[in-house]
Amino acid sequence: MLHHKTALRLAAPVAVLALSLTACGGGDDKADADAKSTATPAAKASKSEAASGGEMASGESATGKVKEEEGVVTYDVLATKVDIGTEAEAAKLVQDKKDAKGKVLAIAHVKFTHKSGPAITSSSDANDNATVWADGQRGAILIGSSTEGVPGCEDAYDVESWKQGESHTFCEAYLIPASAKNAEIHWSEEDGEPYIWKFANTAAK
């Protein structure tokens, strides 16, 4: 379900934002995860040979493994929704307003359920390979942004104890074209092909 919000500007203070312009023109999910951890634009990476991923139905979850500090954990992964803001809100989130022209803020919500593996006692890397796309093109990640204050979004750094059977929802903030017909959430295992959930953008121009 695509949710349109009018108060998403709280998701990321302008002072800590840097727009990764390379995110709209290629690369893969792993490269994007590297960009999140280093706060630098994503670099191109070779395509994965892993046989996983594919388009998912609404409400359909995927199963994937993540190498955490405590060991390999298997997660049930479900992209639940995308919150879409306005062009005016997007302009407030970047230092150069030209970067946000024709763009809107898209916040992806991804629910992770710990299925098997060791309990996690430090921050999880489960959401590192989550990205937002629009009509088949990767959006522009808002590096250094925070989804603190966005309803339903948790911070992976605040999860200090995560046991089997427990679930947490993490979020990612991107800019996508306001005219996009679909917003997409991609998630993949390391070196795996992405699982893709699509959400119709009913407000597209």
Side-chain angles (χ1 to χ4, degrees), residues 29 31 60 68-69 74 85 88 92 114 138 140 148 157 175 194:
D29 291 339
E60 182 182 7
E68 305 282 12
E69 285 189 18
T74 299
K92 296 178 182 179
H114 189 310
R138 189 169 62 182
E148 181 180 358
Y157 291 102
L175 293 185

Side-chain angles (χ1 to χ4, degrees), residues 59-192:
E60 182 182 7
S61 61
T63 300
K65 298 181 184 298
V66 177
K67 186 180 295 184
E68 305 282 12
E69 285 189 18
E70 296 78 7
V72 177
V73 175
T74 299
Y75 291 100
D76 181 84
V77 184
L78 176 63
T80 59
K81 65 177 180 176
V82 179
D83 287 336
I84 299 291
T86 65
E87 291 185 51
E89 289 169 343
K92 296 178 182 179
L93 297 174
V94 294
Q95 295 177 350
D96 188 344
K97 296 188 185 303
K98 293 180 181 179
D99 291 337
K101 186 176 181 180
K103 304 284 198 313
V104 291
L105 176 66
I107 297 182
H109 296 241
V110 185
K111 179 181 178 181
F112 295 89
T113 302
H114 189 310
K115 301 296 290 184
S116 65
I120 298 174
T121 57
S122 58
S123 61
S124 172
D125 293 330
N127 203 44
D128 283 358
N129 284 347
T131 57
V132 179
W133 294 55
D135 294 345
Q137 294 289 324
R138 189 169 62 182
I141 185 174
L142 295 172
I143 297 175
S145 65
S146 170
T147 53
E148 181 180 358
V150 177
C153 295
E154 301 177 72
D155 190 331
Y157 291 102
D158 292 337
V159 179
E160 298 179 349
S161 177
W162 194 351
K163 301 176 183 178
Q164 290 183 26
E166 297 177 346
S167 301
H168 293 283
T169 297
F170 304 131
C171 300
E172 292 292 339
Y174 278 72
L175 293 185
I176 64 173
S179 60
K181 294 180 179 179
N182 293 291
E184 305 168 9
I185 298 179
H186 292 207
W187 183 87
S188 65
E189 298 178 282
E190 185 175 355
D191 297 326

